[in-house]
């Protein structure tokens, strides 16, 4: 399955949250409501959800998963049975006696 670009998801999520704050601050402003709904729709399409709130939650999880995977890759961590284990990313040097 194709995944949306993380930069596009992050940009749309930021825009969605900004319009959400604006709409909540000024509920009578039709322009803010329309922009909020447009961002919500775009987020739904990107994340494959029918509800904007679910799409926003899915987007946050999707972006967070990328950061967690990056940290695991950077530090050589792997998860097995719910426990983080440090794995060697390169072979250890051999001692002269071992050759």
């Amino acid at each position: 399955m194709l995944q949306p670009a993380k930069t596009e998801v992050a940009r749309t999520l930021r825009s969605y949250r900004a319009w959400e704050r604006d709409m909540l601050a000024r509920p009578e402003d039709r322009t803010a409501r329309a922009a909020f709904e447009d961002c919500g729709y775009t987020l739904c399409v990107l994340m494959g959800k029918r509800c904007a709130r679910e799409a926003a939650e899915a987007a946050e999880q999707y972006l967070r998963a990328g950061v967690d995977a990056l940290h695991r890759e950077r530090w050589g961590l792997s998860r097995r049975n719910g426990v983080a284990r440090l794995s060697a990313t390169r072979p250890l040097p051999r001692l002269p006696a071992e050759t």
Side-chain angles (χ1 to χ4, degrees):
M1 182 172 155
L2 292 175
Q3 297 291 323
K6 290 192 185 270
T7 55
E8 186 66 23
V9 172
R11 186 185 64 75
T12 305
L13 183 60
R14 275 193 312 271
S15 181
Y16 175 81
R17 293 296 185 206
W19 282 115
E20 181 181 37
R21 285 188 303 271
D22 195 36
M23 187 202 59
L24 291 173
R26 297 178 294 137
E28 72 285 346
D29 186 359
R30 291 184 183 194
T31 304
R33 177 170 288 280
F36 172 66
E37 290 175 357
D38 285 347
C39 281
Y41 177 78
T42 303
L43 211 49
C44 286
V45 171
L46 283 171
M47 301 312 298
K49 300 289 183 183
R50 290 183 172 205
C51 171
R53 287 180 191 241
E54 289 176 6
E57 289 175 13
E60 288 170 350
Q61 288 177 354
Y62 177 60
L63 295 171
R64 196 170 29 245
V67 170
D68 292 344
L70 179 65
H71 285 143
R72 280 196 303 274
E73 180 182 316
R74 175 178 282 169
W75 295 106
L77 296 175
S78 63
R79 288 209 167 261
R80 191 178 305 148
N81 299 328
V83 177
R85 301 176 192 273
L86 186 61
S87 62
T89 56
R90 54 188 155 140
L92 296 173
R94 294 190 173 262
L95 298 173
E98 295 177 333
T99 55

